[in-house]
């Protein structure tokens, strides 16, 4: 709960939003976002690795406009994201992946000149071939590999990608289609196997993927100039320790040391790019003890910030004295912070130590820049949507 961890500009804007009755609010620090994305780009560029941003982490147009120019492209996972990103960040190269793409989505992607299409099955590949005709479409085949991932928060096994035998069929299918005049070209492989990996874990996984992918590319795309390997995203962040960031320097250094042969390497992180740039700012509506447990009821809740409910963690937060604070101050070592929803699942944080917390004090939730607003069930209980505010000294 120490408040010295908040950047001064964030603290000031949060207090201003409270004074203007604009809470709850999402507050995005675009300057911090810009320097984070630039640091990632610089580290990866030093290793000769392409940097894509996975838009599903946070597709807010203002964030996309900051991130897109610092990347080699944006990865989207639906026709909706495709249209949205192409409109919000015109000129950005777009890679389109994800399971269950409809003909309509594929047509939109081909029609709008998508840069890479990540194909998930042989049936999908055949549909792309049928829809594309002679128009050029550059494809990566998504591989589902049996590489156990220790320490992963989420293992992306299941319906994603193709096994080795199916990949071989896909490669042959594309080759036959190309020989018959199709514009579809397989440029390489796409592999996103897990999320929540630190630099060491991700490198261990990437080394296995690379060793396998190099053999595969030699066998199935022989002679292809600069075949491509997209190593996916999933770089971890630590909600229990917001100051600990994914070590991009070490990761890029490690990637540079792996033997990639002639392949172009690419990664597509989402969470680790934007998470630290977002804050969800709320204030205390009520304070109470019930059955011995201290509660703060925050304005808003998990319908705006679903992340702690989804991941089962306490969202890190800082309390600030609010401009209109009132009532008896509460001191407790184990405060539970809940929102306004009529469900016990509406918990934002537990076990929070607080000193002199009053009604009207601000609760500034950190690490709310990824998988936060855009994964939340906004209209449950019909509370108003939050305000969106942006801090950008460059403007
Ligand atoms: C979600 C996703 C990402 C981004 O994952 P993060 O954990 O946000 O880095 C990248 N690639 C694919 C295919 C994804 O589904």
């Amino acid at each position: 709960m120490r408040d010295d961890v908040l950047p001064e500009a964030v603290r000031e804007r949060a207090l201003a939003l409270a004074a203007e009755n604009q809470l709850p609010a999402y507050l995005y620090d675009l300057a911090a976002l810009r320097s984070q994305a630039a640091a990632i780009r610089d580290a990866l560029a030093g290793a000769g690795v392409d940097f894509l941003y996975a838009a599903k982490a946070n597709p807010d147009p203002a964030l996309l406009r900051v991130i897109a120019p610092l990347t080699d492209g944006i990865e989207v996972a639906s026709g909706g994201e495709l249209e949205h990103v192409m409109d919000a960040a015109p000129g950005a190269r777009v890679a389109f992946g994800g399971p269950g793409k409809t003909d309509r989505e594929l047509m939109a992607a081909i029609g709008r000149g998508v840069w890479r299409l990540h194909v998930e099955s042989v049936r999908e590949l055949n549909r792309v071939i049928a829809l594309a005709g002679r128009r050029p479409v550059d494809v990566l085949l998504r591989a589902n590999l049996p590489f156990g991932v220790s320490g992963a928060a989420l293992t992306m096994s299941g319906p994603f990608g193709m096994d080795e035998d199916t990949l071989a069929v896909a490669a042959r299918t594309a080759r036959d289609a190309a020989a018959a005049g199709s514009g579809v070209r397989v440029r390489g492989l796409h592999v996103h196997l897990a999320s929540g990996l630190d630099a060491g874990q991700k490198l261990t996984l990437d080394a296995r993927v690379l060793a396998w992918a190099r053999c595969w590319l030699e066998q199935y795309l022989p002679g292809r100039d600069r075949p491509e390997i997209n190593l996916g995203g999933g770089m971890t962040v630590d909600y229990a320790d917001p100051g600990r960031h994914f070590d991009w320097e070490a990761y890029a250094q490690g990637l540079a040391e792996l033997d990639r042969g002639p392949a172009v390497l690419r990664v597509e992180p989402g969470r680790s790019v934007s998470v630290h740039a977002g804050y969800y700012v709320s204030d205390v509506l009520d304070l109470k003890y019930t059955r011995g447990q201290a509660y703060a009821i925050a304005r808003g809740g998990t319908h705006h910030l679903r992340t702690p409910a989804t991941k089962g963690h306490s969202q890190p937060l800082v309390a600030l004295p609010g401009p209109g604070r009132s009532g008896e101050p509460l001191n407790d070592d184990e405060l539970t912070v809940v929102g306004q929803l009529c469900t016990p699942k509406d918990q934002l944080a537990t076990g929070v130590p607080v000193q002199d917390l009053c009604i009207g004090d601000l609760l500034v939730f950190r690490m709310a820049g990824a998988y936060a607003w855009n994964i939340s069930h906004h209209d449950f209980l019909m509370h108003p949507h939050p305000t969106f505010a942006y801090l950008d000294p460059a403007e």
Side-chain angles (χ1 to χ4, degrees):
M1 293 285 285
R2 279 173 34 242
D3 65 358
D4 57 352
V5 293
L6 284 186
E8 192 50 37
V10 169
R11 165 208 278 271
E12 276 173 22
R13 188 63 170 272
L15 287 166
L17 287 162
E20 296 157 11
N21 289 319
Q22 296 287 319
L23 301 185
Y26 267 92
L27 175 56
Y28 291 117
D29 185 346
L30 298 183
L33 179 68
R34 189 174 290 112
S35 54
Q36 169 72 354
I40 295 173
R41 177 206 51 190
D42 291 348
L44 290 172
V49 175
D50 289 353
F51 167 32
L52 305 192
Y53 169 64
K56 81 173 188 288
N58 193 331
D60 184 301
L63 273 66
L64 287 173
R65 282 193 294 272
V66 168
I67 297 169
L70 296 166
T71 65
D72 300 291
I74 306 289
E75 190 256 359
V76 302
S78 74
E81 282 190 353
L82 176 93
E83 301 285 342
H84 173 80
V85 167
M86 285 186 162
D87 294 344
R93 299 199 290 195
V94 173
F96 179 19
K101 301 181 197 74
T102 64
D103 280 358
R104 197 193 175 97
E105 290 177 309
L106 290 172
M107 278 308 287
I110 295 166
R112 294 197 67 167
V114 75
W115 175 58
R116 291 292 179 270
L117 203 52
H118 298 162
V119 168
E120 299 259 347
S121 72
V122 174
R123 184 167 290 114
E124 186 171 277
L125 178 64
N126 277 315
R127 287 168 47 231
V128 173
I129 290 167
L131 292 168
R134 291 178 182 279
R135 281 179 287 186
V137 179
D138 290 313
V139 160
L140 300 189
L141 300 176
R142 179 154 181 193
N144 186 359
L145 303 172
F147 299 162
V149 183
S150 65
L154 198 62
T155 305
M156 303 293 288
S157 53
F160 306 108
M162 293 172 261
D163 295 358
E164 293 87 331
D165 53 344
T166 324
L167 284 168
V169 176
R172 273 197 297 276
T173 302
R175 199 169 55 219
D176 294 348
S182 166
V184 174
R185 289 290 175 279
V186 174
R187 298 272 161 214
L189 295 161
H190 174 235
V191 188
H192 173 75
L193 294 178
S195 69
L197 302 180
D198 67 26
Q201 292 166 326
K202 177 83 174 121
L203 280 170
T204 304
L205 177 62
D206 288 350
R208 289 189 71 185
V209 169
L210 256 186
W212 173 85
R214 285 194 52 202
C215 290
W216 193 95
L217 292 170
E218 269 168 37
Q219 187 175 350
Y220 291 99
L221 296 184
R224 169 78 80 238
D225 187 33
R226 314 233 65 205
E228 300 170 14
I229 305 171
N230 182 324
L231 294 166
M235 293 70 177
T236 197
V237 302
D238 191 348
Y239 290 92
D241 186 358
R244 227 182 97 211
H245 291 205
F246 184 83
D247 191 344
W248 282 100
E249 292 290 336
Y251 178 59
Q253 175 77 38
L255 281 182
E257 286 164 12
L258 294 178
D259 185 0
R260 69 182 75 168
V264 173
L265 289 191
R266 184 171 299 149
V267 294
E268 51 182 19
R271 190 187 303 269
S272 52
V273 180
S274 60
V275 73
H276 297 286
Y279 300 84
Y280 177 61
V281 187
S282 172
D283 62 339
V284 177
L285 294 176
D286 204 356
L287 288 169
K288 67 202 275 189
Y289 276 91
T290 174
R291 304 285 159 204
Q293 174 64 51
Y295 289 95
I297 320 284
R299 193 188 305 271
T302 53
H303 54 307
H304 294 166
L305 177 62
R306 192 155 179 262
T307 326
T310 318
K311 293 192 63 86
H313 66 217
S314 277
Q315 195 70 24
L317 71 105
V318 170
L320 300 176
R325 66 200 311 242
S326 65
E328 278 291 296
L330 179 125
N331 291 285
D332 199 278
D333 290 335
E334 296 278 337
L335 179 75
T336 296
V337 182
V338 301
Q340 294 174 277
L341 302 184
C342 306
T343 159
K345 293 185 177 166
D346 189 25
Q347 277 195 5
L348 294 160
T350 56
V352 182
V354 284
Q355 275 180 358
D356 294 335
L357 187 69
C358 290
I359 307 289
D361 280 356
L362 269 56
L363 300 172
V364 182
F365 293 92
R366 305 168 69 195
M367 299 182 77
Y371 304 104
W373 166 250
N374 64 315
I375 64 155
S376 304
H377 43 301
H378 307 150
D379 293 319
F380 185 43
L381 261 74
M382 300 179 72
H383 286 293
H385 286 189
T387 304
F388 287 83
Y390 303 87
L391 270 175
D392 193 358
E395 279 180 358

